[in-house]
Structures are given as C-alpha cells and as structure tokens.
Amino acid sequence: MLFENYKIKSNFWDEMAMPDGNVRAHYLNLLNKLNNIDTNELTRKEEIAKLMFMNRGITFTVYSGNEEGIERIFPFDIIPRIITSTEWNFISKGVEQRMRALNLFLHDIYHEQNCLRDGIIPAELIASCPHYNRAIFGIDVPHNIYVHIAGIDLVRDADGTYYVLEDNLRTPSGVSYMMENRDVTKAIFPELMNKYKVRHVSNYPLELQKILVSLSPNQTQNPCIVILTPGVFNSAYYEHTFLARYMGVDLVEGRDLVVDNHKVYMKTTHGLKKVDVIYRRVDDEFLDPLAFRPDSILGVPGLLSAYRNGNVSIVNALGNGVADDKAVYAYVPKMIKYYLNEEPLLKNVPTYMMEDVEHRQFVFENMNKMVIKKTNDSGGYGMLMGTTASDEEIEKFKQAILLDPRSFIAQPTLNLSTVPCYINGELTPRHVDLRPYALFGPDGFKLIPGGLTRVALKEGSLVVNSSQGGGSKDTWIVD
C-alpha cells in the first residue's frame, strides 16, 4: 500500500492528504488505483514515460555561468496533480481580473500615464525599469490588448491560500510541456483519465491560433502568421518548433524576414511573402537592431517601423516587460483597485522593495527567512534562498543589493504546498507551484484548464525551476 508510507510534512498544505491523514475526496480514485498497482508496474510506467520523453525529444537547455547550454530531457513525475473545478473557477476569475488590470496598465503607461500622475505607482520606478520601452510610447495596438499570452505563477501557502508569485507577460514558456505531460499520462493511465473526466488542454494551439488570426491587420481568411525564434540555441527552442507544428505556421529566424516600405516579408523559395502576424519568442531588445540593440542578429531591421505603422501585429506586444518587472509586480493589487475598482481575488506574496531603507533593513536582519530575487531575471537565475544559503552567499547578496537596490526585491519564504510524487519506488511529498496559461484576444479571456505543475524533485527543496533541478507533472482539472 503506497499511501501507508506517505509522510505528510507538518506546516505544509498537502494537495492529496489532510492534516489528519485522510485523503481528500478528489484524490480517492487516484489513490485507490495506485494502491492496486504493484510497484514494479508503476516503475515500468515510469520507464515508459521516460522513453516517451526521450523519443519525442522533449528537452530544455540549462545555462551555467559562461558555459555553453546543456540540453536535457525534461524531468517528469508520473503521478498527476488534481485540482477541483471549484478551485479552478476561483483561479480563473483571479487570473482574468489580473490580466484585465495589467492590460489597462500597459495601455496607460504607454499613453496618458494617469497611474503616475495619480500616484498609484512611483514614476521613478517606471523610469528605472530596464524593460520600460520608450520607443513604444504612443503606439496603438489592436483592440488595446498587450498581453495575449500569460503564464501566471501561483503557489499555495501552509493554509491552502493561493498567491501569485510572478506575472510572466513577455514570452512565457512551458505550454508545450503541459501538453506533452498530458499525452504521456494518457498513455500510462488511460483508465484513470476516463474515470476522472479530466478537462482537455489539447485545444491550446487552436485557441492561440484563433487569437493570432484575429489580430491580422488585413482581415483575410488566411493571414500569414509566423513564429519568430532566436534559434536552436534558445532554451525553449523545442517549444517553438512544437507550437509551429501544431498551429501549422512557419517557424522563422530574424534572417528569414525583411522589412520593405514599413512592411514585413518572409523569404520563401517563391519570393517574398507578406507577414501579417508575428508570434515572437525574442525579447524586445533583440527584435530590431535599428531601434534597440544594434548588435542583435536575432531580430529584423526596420521591424519597429512596420509595427508602428500598423502593418504587422506582434504577440505579445512590445514593451510588456515593464509589467512583469518584479518590483512593479508589488503594485498589481493597487492597479486592480485603480483600473477596475475591484478587490484583488488572488493575493500577492508580500514584497519588500530594496530601495526602501526600512524594508532593506528589515530584510537584512532576516535574510535567512527571505527569498531574494533580481527584478528582471527569470528561470530561477539571480535568486537567493535564505533558508539554505551560506553566510558567504548572504553577504555577497547584501553587497550586491547595496550597490544596486532597485534591481532586487525580497519575499518571505512560503511553505509551498506538496503533492505526492513517485520517486525511488515510493510515494513521497515534493513542493510544487502552478503555471496556468491564459489567452486574451478580441473575443475575451480563456484559461486553459490545466497548466504546468512544476516540482522541486530534490527532497526539501523549494526551487521548482527546471533550470535549477526541478521537473513537472500533469495537472488535472476535474468536476
């Protein structure tokens, strides 16, 4: 009986087991199934899953220091995470509210800037944001939608409360792993999938394509849509190819595109073909060497002029980085009240601004209880976990903060919830977060019912990023 040896961690919310040891109702079918499977059979299913990931080339790339990236098979745990539809509906409403406010903020900050004049957000915070893009000021985007695709990272604290940890609004990745996780789970637990009536995630490419078509400047039935990738050395290149294949659109690099008379064209064997919509997976600063970084070889010279003239739509919109700066994140609850006149449904994690002297002093006195993050890094890079850091590492971060306080924030270490994982032949709890994927187009908001559950596979670790040794598991939304 696998569950007999499952050890719940005190002071942590476990997604499957209650504090008294009883199993939550929505996990009962899964646990009954697992208890009737021999561990040798579970291990065989685990091996099948690994082979499927390997054969499909489901990889990601890890970078360390100045070393070249190392491509690895994405770690996967075979036990799905289960979320009830009641919880999911709450998450969906909270994410939609957040996306509506962030879209209004982005339009405002690149037009009237009322939020600065009304003192909702400090002007100096925006002015010092490296991703506030002055070249975008005054550009109108289709339907005033800036964030078409978002990956909002959620965590659960010890009492089960959901918190937003980060807003990923530029080029959020991981959706291909969400879909591949589901395919693999279907293959190894087909009966369970039917028994639970798990909601589907497979329509994500179709829903995304609908939005891309709707954003075409030319209202034709078959607009030319491309995915712009930095190339094979990008850590998310697998996902770029995956989405291009599932949507039936061309995957291009900057060298495949050219701008003429403020219009974008794709080079083909039949000549130039006008491009209507670009789903870019290239950061703003590399998109156009004439407007941004002149040394970029990833972008397209003149792309900004075509964008400014409304001859091409770019998804997500340029300039979004200002809204997922981790220092600006702290003001999202105020944005929701200011733009929507609503109370935030999803809470922010309490955030200390290192430019604030009192905040900084408090954080310095409690470094071993804090997570320190760089405001514009991602993927788990540039982060200090105070609970496990050495005195030397803490001192190094203190010095870095004093040199450039604007580039750091601090948050208290949360007791991330745990889920059962099958590791070394046993069911054992590991910490997780959840990245649901939201789409926002002219027809409204849609949250794909599932998302990517990221797992800290190392015992006791709270770091779920794949670049830092984390893995993932399938996420089931059940009625």
Side-chain angles (χ1 to χ4, degrees), residues 76-97:
F76 173 73
D77 179 70
I78 61 173
I79 310 298
R81 176 188 191 169
I82 303 174
I83 297 174
T84 65
S85 57
T86 302
E87 285 184 345
W88 187 252
N89 291 340
F90 170 73
I91 290 171
S92 182
K93 287 177 183 174
V95 172
E96 179 178 6
Q97 180 191 55

Side-chain angles (χ1 to χ4, degrees), residues 400-412:
I401 290 169
L402 289 171
L403 284 173
D404 184 13
R406 167 62 177 85
S407 293
F408 293 88
I409 55 105
Q411 295 171 328

Side-chain angles (χ1 to χ4, degrees), residues 334-348:
K334 284 188 175 180
M335 292 180 200
I336 291 171
K337 293 177 184 174
Y338 178 68
Y339 292 115
L340 305 178
N341 194 26
E342 297 173 6
E343 290 295 321
L345 296 173
L346 289 168
K347 294 181 178 180
N348 263 28

Side-chain angles (χ1 to χ4, degrees), residues 320-338:
N320 279 13
V322 65
D324 72 8
D325 182 310
K326 292 180 180 63
V328 175
Y329 151 94
Y331 292 87
V332 175
K334 284 188 175 180
M335 292 180 200
I336 291 171
K337 293 177 184 174
Y338 178 68

Side-chain angles (χ1 to χ4, degrees), residues 273-307:
K273 182 178 181 181
K274 186 174 177 300
V275 173
D276 300 300
V277 182
I278 298 174
Y279 175 28
R280 54 71 175 254
R281 299 297 295 257
V282 174
D283 289 338
D284 283 7
E285 56 266 41
F286 298 102
L287 272 179
D288 182 349
L290 298 182
F292 308 120
R293 283 184 55 158
D295 60 337
S296 171
I297 57 173
L298 304 177
V300 187
L303 182 59
L304 181 61
S305 72
Y307 184 61

Side-chain angles (χ1 to χ4, degrees), residues 59-258:
T59 63
F60 71 106
T61 306
V62 178
Y63 294 91
S64 176
N66 295 322
E67 297 177 7
E68 289 187 3
I70 302 169
E71 193 171 19
R72 293 178 178 168
I73 299 295
F74 199 68
F76 173 73
D77 179 70
I78 61 173
I79 310 298
R81 176 188 191 169
I82 303 174
I83 297 174
T84 65
S85 57
T86 302
E87 285 184 345
W88 187 252
N89 291 340
F90 170 73
I91 290 171
S92 182
K93 287 177 183 174
V95 172
E96 179 178 6
Q97 180 191 55
R98 205 166 176 95
M99 283 191 71
R100 286 193 289 127
L102 286 164
N103 267 302
L104 290 168
F105 163 71
L106 283 162
H107 182 270
D108 186 21
I109 208 67
Y110 287 117
H111 289 82
E112 296 84 6
Q113 299 193 331
N114 290 324
C115 63
L116 303 185
R117 274 191 288 276
D118 291 341
I120 305 302
I121 302 168
E124 57 271 21
L125 183 69
I126 302 300
S128 61
C129 177
H131 294 296
Y132 176 66
N133 200 328
R134 288 168 179 78
I136 308 305
F137 192 88
I139 294 180
D140 293 320
V141 300
H143 310 282
N144 286 338
I145 299 174
Y146 292 76
V147 185
H148 310 91
I149 306 156
I152 307 295
D153 290 346
L154 303 175
V155 294
R156 255 179 142 169
D157 202 3
D159 63 357
T161 301
Y162 280 103
Y163 289 84
V164 176
L165 190 62
E166 290 183 7
D167 301 298
N168 296 286
L169 311 176
R170 285 178 283 175
T171 56
S173 62
V175 76
S176 59
Y177 303 129
M178 172 188 77
M179 294 180 62
E180 294 284 18
N181 287 353
R182 178 58 52 84
D183 278 354
V184 172
T185 308
K186 271 184 193 173
I188 58 177
F189 292 121
E191 295 171 4
L192 262 178
M193 292 290 299
N194 291 332
K195 197 165 189 175
Y196 263 110
K197 297 180 181 175
V198 181
R199 294 193 191 177
H200 299 290
V201 297
S202 57
N203 62 341
Y204 176 87
L206 179 63
E207 296 293 343
L208 175 57
Q209 190 175 32
K210 282 182 190 173
I211 290 175
L212 298 177
V213 169
S214 71
L215 297 173
S216 172
N218 301 311
Q219 292 304 308
T220 61
Q221 283 191 333
N222 296 301
C224 180
I225 299 167
V226 299
I227 297 178
L228 176 61
T229 174
V232 296
F233 296 110
N234 184 267
S235 61
Y237 184 71
Y238 169 79
E239 180 158 301
H240 306 165
T241 62
F242 176 94
L243 289 172
R245 186 168 68 251
Y246 274 79
M247 290 196 293
V249 303
D250 287 299
L251 181 68
V252 300
E253 297 183 27
R255 62 191 174 185
D256 300 317
L257 302 178
V258 62

